[in-house]
Amino acid sequence: MIFVMEKKHLKRLEEKFRTELKSKRVICLHIPDDYKFMDDELIDILESRVEEYLVQD
């Protein structure tokens, strides 16, 4: 699984790695890329958004 924050990130990935992404699950989290590196608020948002994808039965 590959997570991106915004649709523009997904577009960039697809432009550069279209072939490699064919067998990958890419998930856009729809989080604006307006945060500073390691911002506590961003970390909290990321953790909450990816949790549903990482929890396994």
Side-chain angles (χ1 to χ4, degrees), residues 9-21:
H9 298 153
L10 176 57
K11 184 177 178 177
R12 281 189 214 145
L13 274 178
E14 289 173 341
E15 288 170 358
K16 287 185 158 190
F17 304 104
R18 183 167 304 282
T19 303
E20 292 85 348
L21 290 176

Side-chain angles (χ1 to χ4, degrees), residues 1-3 5 10 16 18-21 23-24 27 29-32 35-37 39-40 43-44 49 51 54 56-57:
M1 255 183 278
I2 300 170
F3 295 98
M5 289 176 53
L10 176 57
K16 287 185 158 190
R18 183 167 304 282
T19 303
E20 292 85 348
L21 290 176
S23 62
K24 307 292 186 271
I27 299 160
L29 299 173
H30 303 285
I31 300 170
Y35 296 88
K36 294 192 183 290
F37 181 72
D39 182 295
D40 289 337
I43 292 169
D44 289 343
R49 297 270 177 98
E51 182 177 26
L54 302 179
Q56 296 183 5
D57 296 334

Side-chain angles (χ1 to χ4, degrees), residues 41-56:
E41 182 180 1
L42 174 59
I43 292 169
D44 289 343
I45 294 168
L46 287 168
E47 286 176 347
S48 69
R49 297 270 177 98
V50 301
E51 182 177 26
E52 70 179 277
Y53 298 99
L54 302 179
V55 174
Q56 296 183 5

